[in-house]
Amino acid sequence: MKATATAHANIALVKYWGKKDDALLLPEAASLSVALDKLLTTTTVELGDFPSDSLTLDGRTEDPRRARALLDAAGISLRARIASRNEFPTAAGLASSASGFAALAVAACAAAGLDKSREELSALARLGSGSATRSVPGGWAVWERESARQVYPPAHWDLRFCVAICAGGEKDVGSRDGMRLTRDSSPYHAAWIEQCKRDLPEALRLLAARDLAALGALAERNALRMHADALAAAPPLVYWQPPTVASLHALRELRKQGVAAFATIDAGPHVVAMCRPEDAPAVEARLRAVEGIADVLVCAPAGGARVLP
Ligand code: PMV
């Protein structure tokens, strides 16, 4: 009763920021993401008659309660020993709930011998964290309701995503609390959700056409509007650090020089710049030159969560 699975974290181009159901983690609007190859998590689940659940992340003991909610929903009543390892610098604040809960859902069901569909596994991962819903199918993925689906395989478009580490350590307000606070107090929230509903069909059209200039601009606007919504919460949520802002300006300068590179930012300080593979060395070098940037990871699109033999 033991299995190991891997999953990649993902970056959203049309963001999920607002739940319509806090208990079931159902989104107010649909989102679009791409899985990133270097942001890989490996999780081993062992089920048995243990006195309690336990969870370690990169060797550190963590609270297993969210994992238990997911196991209960899968019908797994045996206690679980969960060991999760990230192949990327968690110390830099890149810890990913998306890859973690996607790998957990897949490993736990394999350990229990449950034969679940991708859709069912995606819906289970959702109970750990919303963004994990999209890491189960991987590739270019859309999450509308209970589960996410892959709309294109990773090979649909060979882009690069330069992840600039703009601060160390954990953020003050996690996405779960931040999202609730924003929904309940930002006067701009309804407009943000309406914008996402317009952005998704347009983003899918641009993704089909592989139009980097237009999709990149849309993704950058969508991210900045999500942050505008969060900034408008009471109390305000400021996820950015000085290197975050400096990176946004650096990418604008690069665009003036003819390099198509566009930013997106999750609920944290890090900037992810999307660009063509041939431009990635220039984008990486420019971001590395920004004061305060500790590291840049250049990622390509990746596939979904899977059980390791
Ligand atoms: O599901 P969570 O708690 O990982 O929240 C994800 C929120 C954002 O990363 C900001 C947006 C997104 O769609 O991934």
Side-chain angles (χ1 to χ4, degrees):
M1 303 223 84
K2 189 171 172 179
T4 299
T6 59
H8 298 274
N10 64 77
I11 184 77
L13 305 181
V14 176
K15 306 277 185 201
Y16 147 63
W17 192 250
K19 291 179 179 66
K20 73 172 176 214
D21 187 317
D22 288 336
L24 290 177
L25 282 81
L26 292 171
E28 290 178 279
S31 53
L32 165 70
S33 66
V34 58
L36 300 179
D37 63 350
K38 286 192 186 153
L39 306 187
L40 183 72
T41 299
T42 305
T43 300
T44 298
V45 176
E46 191 179 357
L47 301 172
D49 220 355
F50 312 127
S52 60
D53 292 322
S54 64
L55 168 63
T56 61
L57 179 57
D58 290 332
R60 290 184 320 274
T61 303
E62 304 265 339
D63 186 345
R65 269 178 298 178
R66 267 204 214 183
R68 176 38 63 190
L70 192 160
L71 298 173
D72 283 343
I76 298 171
S77 51
L78 285 170
R79 300 294 111 190
R81 271 188 196 148
I82 306 162
S84 202
R85 206 161 29 81
N86 286 327
E87 311 288 336
F88 50 89
T90 26
L94 265 192
S96 167
S97 59
S99 51
F101 285 111
L104 173 66
V106 171
C109 290
L114 298 170
D115 188 20
K116 302 259 187 208
S117 67
R118 281 230 137 197
E119 254 182 299
E120 290 172 307
L121 292 168
S122 170
L124 279 175
R126 190 190 83 235
L127 301 172
S129 103
S131 56
T133 319
R134 299 182 308 236
S135 276
V136 171
W140 303 85
V142 168
W143 171 34
E144 255 169 288
R145 281 178 284 271
E146 279 76 16
S147 59
R149 63 182 200 283
Q150 191 179 104
V151 288
Y152 292 104
H156 170 69
W157 197 2
D158 188 29
L159 287 183
R160 291 295 175 271
F161 296 84
C162 306
V163 184
I165 312 296
C166 293
E170 298 270 306
K171 56 199 177 201
D172 300 343
V173 185
S175 49
R176 190 164 291 197
D177 292 339
M179 223 178 269
R180 195 185 313 115
L181 180 71
T182 307
R183 182 196 63 199
D184 295 345
S185 67
S186 162
Y188 307 151
H189 191 65
W192 153 251
I193 293 299
E194 287 312 307
Q195 187 61 45
C196 287
K197 291 178 182 169
R198 286 189 290 272
D199 281 352
L200 182 70
E202 178 66 1
L204 287 172
R205 196 181 64 73
L206 298 169
L207 176 59
R210 299 187 187 88
D211 184 338
L212 176 60
L215 182 63
L218 184 154
E220 185 164 315
R221 280 197 308 274
N222 183 272
L224 296 187
R225 284 168 172 167
M226 182 194 93
H227 284 272
D229 191 24
L231 283 164
L237 289 165
V238 186
Y239 285 111
W240 297 2
Q241 292 294 332
T244 315
V245 181
S247 298
L248 287 174
H249 288 292
L251 294 175
R252 266 152 210 253
E253 275 167 35
L254 272 179
R255 291 205 289 269
K256 274 190 207 149
Q257 293 156 19
V259 179
F262 301 88
T264 182
I265 311 168
D266 275 345
H270 312 306
V271 172
V272 179
M274 60 192 283
C275 64
R276 293 194 178 84
E278 57 271 32
D279 289 332
V283 175
E284 179 189 358
R286 184 65 194 84
L287 289 171
R288 282 189 187 277
V290 169
E291 198 184 323
I293 288 194
D295 200 2
V296 178
L297 297 172
V298 181
C299 300
R306 61 189 189 92
V307 179
L308 293 187

